[in-house]
Amino acid sequence: MDDHGGVTWQWSRFGLGLIFALPAMIVAPFSVTAGLALAAGVLPAAAFRLPPRRRGRAVIPLVGVLCAAGVLLGSLLATVPVVAVVAVFASAVIAAVTAARGRVAQLVLILALPMVGIGLSFPWSAVSIGLAASMLAGSAYAWVVSLAWPERDEPPPAAAPVPRGRAMLVYGILLGAAAAIAAAIGFLLGLEHVGWATAAVLLVMRPVRGQLIARSIGRAASVLVGAFAAAAFAVVRPDDLMIGIAAGVVVGALCASQESRWYVAPGFTTFIALTLILVTSSAPPAERFLERALETLLGVGLALVFGAAVPSLLSFVARRHGVRSV
């Protein structure tokens, strides 16, 4: 393993990531949308530490089901913008307040919910259904590959701690407000891919308090880097083969750097998600770059305002008035 500061790299894991991405690399030259969707389907397997026991690796196809369901829900909501904005807010609140109930509930919050944002960019059609199906296929393939990987004698990774009670309700309201505002702006301005700013909000925001604000900023920076890299990649007009190769390298790099202390994973996942959106656009590359850059800045800006600045302000006001901080 190579460790440079906050970034780790494991070449064996890079090889595993390439195996995960193999179907995407094969399919992309023939159908770039399906290829990138397959790459998206294996992202959870590449991004998270492989459970030590094969039985625990059943979470991989479960994640694929949750992500596909999120895309289909967002796609369906996109057909009625007013309903979509309200539903995004409500979904965020519900996902936040139920996140403490277990691992699956956490996965809904951190994975399925951003996929609802992505789905807003693909109003219900054969494209959105094919996208969801490719995600399911990608996750199923990643699970089969993971079963061939040796088991390890170590306890399964513990679920990340999640605040409970009023703190998560406040967080859910703030998350829902930021995501709903992003969606409303996208619909009002008639953006070609209305869901990207919404997805950026949902990818960046996490429950933050005090010292955790720095982590939120790190995650936001990673999303920005991934988004700008995808936009710049689109400007060079890559052919479908190049996109397939890039997807394989990105999935491999995500897998290899999975244990990094820095928040590098959101950059890789953002690159795949945004490239998927960009290849469906008919606008010139420069126009796509500008619009995606502005949408990214909008989403990340809303996430930092509602995820870091507003909680800090609420805590400050609560302390000034002698009220228990949320």
Side-chain angles (χ1 to χ4, degrees):
M1 179 191 299
D2 297 325
D3 188 346
H4 301 284
V7 178
T8 63
W9 185 274
Q10 293 178 284
W11 283 108
S12 62
R13 291 276 303 181
F14 181 77
L16 176 60
L18 287 179
I19 296 173
F20 281 155
L22 188 59
M25 298 172 70
I26 294 173
V27 171
F30 304 97
S31 174
V32 67
T33 301
L36 287 170
L38 287 170
V42 304
L43 286 177
F48 296 110
R49 190 173 185 179
L50 199 65
R53 297 296 179 183
R54 291 186 176 91
R55 182 177 180 180
R57 296 170 190 174
V59 71
I60 295 174
L62 171 62
V63 167
V65 170
L66 292 175
C67 290
V71 167
L72 291 177
L73 176 59
S75 177
L76 184 61
L77 292 173
T79 59
V80 187
V82 173
V83 174
V85 172
V86 175
V88 164
F89 175 82
S91 298
V93 174
I94 294 171
V97 298
T98 59
R101 294 188 177 182
R103 193 66 174 269
V104 174
Q106 289 186 30
L107 292 174
V108 170
L109 177 64
I110 66 175
L111 289 176
L113 196 58
M115 289 299 106
V116 174
I118 294 292
L120 294 179
S121 293
F122 301 95
W124 189 268
S125 65
V127 172
S128 59
I129 296 173
L131 176 59
S134 296
M135 287 183 171
L136 289 174
S139 64
Y141 167 77
W143 173 58
V144 172
V145 170
S146 75
L147 294 179
W149 218 248
E151 291 188 331
R152 305 187 304 275
D153 291 325
E154 60 184 63
V162 176
R164 295 174 179 271
R166 186 172 59 174
M168 286 305 286
L169 174 60
V170 172
Y171 165 70
I173 292 172
L174 294 174
L175 177 67
I181 289 171
I185 291 174
F187 283 120
L188 288 172
L189 296 181
L191 299 179
E192 183 179 11
H193 287 289
V194 67
W196 178 242
T198 305
V201 168
L202 298 169
L203 285 166
V204 168
M205 276 188 69
R206 294 290 184 272
V208 293
R209 290 286 300 278
Q211 72 274 18
L212 295 183
I213 291 177
R215 297 185 180 184
S216 180
I217 294 173
R219 187 178 290 107
S222 184
V223 169
L224 278 172
V225 170
F228 286 130
F233 184 58
V235 170
V236 303
R237 295 179 179 270
D239 59 25
D240 293 351
L241 176 61
M242 288 179 60
I243 293 174
I245 293 172
V249 171
V250 167
V251 173
L254 170 62
C255 203
S257 58
Q258 175 265 330
E259 295 184 4
S260 299
R261 293 193 303 273
W262 289 356
Y263 284 90
V264 297
F268 296 120
T269 57
T270 298
F271 180 92
I272 296 294
L274 188 52
T275 300
L276 178 60
I277 288 178
L278 289 170
V279 298
T280 64
S281 174
S282 58
E287 183 178 329
R288 284 183 290 175
F289 180 93
L290 178 60
E291 185 172 320
R292 296 299 91 78
L294 292 176
E295 289 171 358
T296 300
L297 290 172
L298 170 63
V300 170
L302 286 169
L304 290 177
V305 168
F306 283 88
V310 173
S312 297
L313 179 61
L314 291 176
S315 296
F316 173 77
V317 172
R319 289 194 302 270
R320 286 291 299 271
H321 291 80
V323 179
R324 185 179 177 183
S325 176
V326 294

